[in-house]
């Protein structure tokens, strides 16, 4: 499973396959926090980060 993390419209978004999930983190928060959240929510997934 691949997950792409990107900023969009002031919020972080996780893109899992074809689904886009808005995360509860604002764009101003640390990216590492969002990556940690994604690792907990989707264990074993490959995580890609984009700006």
């Amino acid at each position: 499973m691949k997950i792409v993390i990107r900023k969009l419209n002031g919020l972080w978004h996780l893109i899992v396959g074809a689904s886009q999930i808005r995360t509860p983190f604002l764009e101003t928060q640390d990216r590492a926090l969002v990556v940690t959240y994604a690792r907990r929510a989707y264990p074993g997934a490959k995580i890609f980060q984009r700006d």
Side-chain angles (χ1 to χ4, degrees):
M1 177 187 323
K2 290 194 310 186
I3 297 176
V4 176
I5 297 174
R6 69 188 296 189
K7 296 178 198 177
L8 186 62
N9 297 332
L11 294 172
W12 288 102
H13 290 259
L14 299 180
I15 302 170
V16 182
S19 304
Q20 190 173 61
I21 302 166
R22 194 172 67 204
T23 58
F25 302 105
L26 293 175
E27 183 177 45
T28 56
Q29 289 180 305
D30 190 25
R31 182 190 305 247
L33 188 64
V34 180
V35 171
T36 302
Y37 171 80
R39 288 185 199 274
R40 265 191 266 134
Y42 302 97
K46 292 182 182 179
I47 298 176
F48 299 93
Q49 302 173 35
R50 294 187 185 160
D51 283 332

